[in-house]
Amino acid sequence: MAKTAKWVLISIAHFTNEALSIIVFNLLDLIDFGLCFVYKVADFFFESEWKACYCCSHKEAISSSDGNKILVSEKALSLSTKLQLEEVSDTLYTRPSLLTELSKVAVAELRRLKVKPFVVGSTGKAAVGSTFAVNSTVVEMLKEKINVGQNPRWSECDCKRCTSCCSSSKQSLFVRSQGPQDNPREDVLFIHGFLSSSTFWTETLFPNFSASANSTYRFLAVDLLGFGLSPRPTDSLYTLKEHVDMIETSVLEAYKVKSFHIVAHSLGCILALALAVKHPSSVKSLTLLAPPYYPIPKGEEPSQYVMRKVAPRRVWPPIVLGSSIACWYEHISRTVCLIICKNHRFWEFLTIFVTRNRIESFLVEGFFAHTHNAAWHTLHNVICGTGGKIDRYLDQVREQVNCQVNIIHGGDDDVVPVECSYNVKARVPRARVNVVQNKDHITIVIGRRQAFARELEEIWSNAKS
């Protein structure tokens, strides 16, 4: 009887979650659709330019007929080694919902009415790009009142901490270094996860390494492109290649790193695998914390499958609701960034005041230190868009990268399921998996700082020369 009652309760809870999710996410579909028009108007008013979005984009719309150019978010880009079409995840412009067809009908109607798409640039001239037409007289009237070419954008924070980040993608990433700077015996590269920064390592592990480790290793913790104190270029698509290239330029080349250990968390694990594959003879050990690896079933489209795993459009648990909103809704997630990130100083103060500093302040600061453009594109192009690549990366790590592979996962992780780590081991049998009970996605590090620091030192000392 007890088992039957439990089964009935679980079934009711599951049904309630499913039914409520359908209602909530259909409502969110409508809200996001409406916000699309709101931001079109607001962007034009503040920046004298209709900003392109992915609402009405389709795969056919991003491929040119001559094969020399591609269109991404309705912007023409030269096809070069820095940006390949395959680097852009189709989840950016294909997120099925009840309003997808409505969007297509709206665009078709605008075309039928001969409303030619264009974007108004700083010169006032029209260029192909947007789905809305603007009377040039209005543009001339607003020219004197609008700060054209505003950087940061109107919906982003303009405080000293945020504006200190250069806007050019050609600038170096911000790197925190500890240990011998001249001729270190070995280097260790730390890569943080999504919506985080290098302080995830420097405030937890760096103070807890032994004197011996501090004299032997040079620790290099990097802020990824678009996060922390690194540049947040508005014209970047934050692809895997862009992230990896920036790490190579800002860390490996700038610090003249020859061989190195890698410690990566969550999203950072994807970048760590890409680096290991690109530098197979230089990586001495790989330590992956909560790697988000979802094997793709036969017949499934990789990026779409990963998006559904990461963001399954469910209202419970709350972490799933949050990830679903961040992944499925371009304009709602931008609104969240507008409310939270633009006013991060207030929210940081309020969080510390309410929790009495129970929540580490550096975690709060790292969470707010990004733009919507950086978070949105990184989420889709790196986490979702690499779904079809990680299998290949893991195969190359297994066969071509001769280094230790250690995987650590929190037993209570509700962001990345423990199964992901075992999936990695199934692909790379020599990998060692350590599931730490009673720890989650964050406390796997901040909840065991000294113990984890000792574990890392042991991993490095046992690594092959």
Side-chain angles (χ1 to χ4, degrees), residues 186-205:
E186 294 182 4
D187 287 300
V188 184
L189 171 61
F190 292 85
I191 309 176
H192 65 77
F194 188 59
L195 300 185
S196 186
S197 72
S198 56
T199 58
F200 183 74
W201 310 110
T202 59
E203 296 293 328
T204 56
L205 295 179

Side-chain angles (χ1 to χ4, degrees), residues 29-196:
D29 289 340
L30 287 168
I31 294 173
D32 198 68
F33 183 77
L35 285 174
C36 175
F37 293 92
V38 172
Y39 279 114
K40 291 287 185 186
V41 174
D43 287 341
F44 177 73
F45 180 79
F46 286 106
E47 301 176 9
S48 73
E49 184 177 5
W50 296 117
K51 294 296 183 179
C53 65
Y54 292 100
C55 292
C56 301
S57 300
H58 305 287
K59 192 165 188 178
E60 294 76 12
I62 65 171
S63 299
S64 65
S65 58
D66 59 10
N68 294 323
K69 288 182 177 293
I70 60 174
L71 299 178
V72 179
S73 187
E74 304 173 1
K75 294 170 66 178
L77 301 170
S78 297
L79 189 61
S80 67
T81 56
K82 289 188 175 181
L83 179 62
Q84 301 293 334
L85 182 58
E86 64 180 14
E87 291 288 325
V88 180
S89 174
D90 69 346
T91 58
L92 282 168
Y93 48 83
T94 306
R95 298 183 304 280
S97 71
L98 292 179
L99 285 179
T100 299
E101 293 303 319
L102 179 59
S103 299
K104 293 179 181 178
V105 170
V107 173
E109 184 63 17
L110 287 174
R111 289 172 177 168
R112 187 184 70 80
L113 296 174
K114 298 182 179 181
V115 180
K116 297 182 179 180
F118 68 94
V119 172
V120 179
S122 59
T123 62
K125 296 180 180 180
V128 174
S130 177
T131 57
F132 296 86
V134 183
N135 189 302
S136 57
T137 305
V138 177
V139 177
E140 294 300 323
M141 290 174 60
L142 294 176
K143 260 185 171 182
E144 300 300 322
K145 300 180 181 180
I146 300 177
N147 182 11
V148 180
Q150 192 177 22
N151 186 29
R153 297 189 63 188
W154 69 270
S155 56
E156 298 167 1
C157 180
D158 59 357
C159 73
K160 184 177 180 180
R161 189 179 83 188
C162 293
T163 55
S164 65
C165 309
C166 300
S167 60
S168 173
S169 61
K170 296 181 180 179
Q171 299 297 321
S172 295
L173 301 179
F174 182 80
V175 182
R176 289 179 170 88
S177 177
Q178 177 175 300
Q181 300 303 304
D182 297 323
N183 300 317
R185 190 180 305 174
E186 294 182 4
D187 287 300
V188 184
L189 171 61
F190 292 85
I191 309 176
H192 65 77
F194 188 59
L195 300 185
S196 186

Side-chain angles (χ1 to χ4, degrees), residues 149-305:
Q150 192 177 22
N151 186 29
R153 297 189 63 188
W154 69 270
S155 56
E156 298 167 1
C157 180
D158 59 357
C159 73
K160 184 177 180 180
R161 189 179 83 188
C162 293
T163 55
S164 65
C165 309
C166 300
S167 60
S168 173
S169 61
K170 296 181 180 179
Q171 299 297 321
S172 295
L173 301 179
F174 182 80
V175 182
R176 289 179 170 88
S177 177
Q178 177 175 300
Q181 300 303 304
D182 297 323
N183 300 317
R185 190 180 305 174
E186 294 182 4
D187 287 300
V188 184
L189 171 61
F190 292 85
I191 309 176
H192 65 77
F194 188 59
L195 300 185
S196 186
S197 72
S198 56
T199 58
F200 183 74
W201 310 110
T202 59
E203 296 293 328
T204 56
L205 295 179
F206 280 30
N208 287 292
F209 286 127
S210 66
S212 175
N214 276 301
S215 63
T216 302
Y217 306 103
R218 177 171 58 178
F219 305 118
L220 302 168
V222 62
D223 282 350
L224 295 177
L225 182 67
F227 299 90
L229 296 178
S230 283
R232 307 170 189 178
T234 57
D235 59 345
S236 173
L237 291 172
Y238 298 90
T239 62
L240 177 69
K241 188 178 188 306
E242 287 178 280
H243 280 291
V244 172
D245 285 349
M246 288 296 288
I247 292 175
E248 289 178 318
T249 302
S250 304
V251 184
L252 303 188
E253 295 176 11
Y255 288 84
K256 299 180 180 179
V257 176
K258 302 300 182 183
S259 63
F260 55 102
H261 305 270
I262 302 179
V263 181
H265 178 241
S266 194
L267 161 75
C269 295
I270 300 174
L271 303 178
L273 290 172
L275 280 167
V277 168
K278 199 169 183 180
H279 303 274
S281 61
S282 299
V283 177
K284 303 189 70 174
S285 73
L286 267 175
T287 303
L288 308 177
L289 283 72
Y293 171 50
Y294 303 90
I296 310 301
K298 187 176 181 179
E300 291 278 359
E301 201 290 318
S303 58
Q304 293 288 333
Y305 178 80

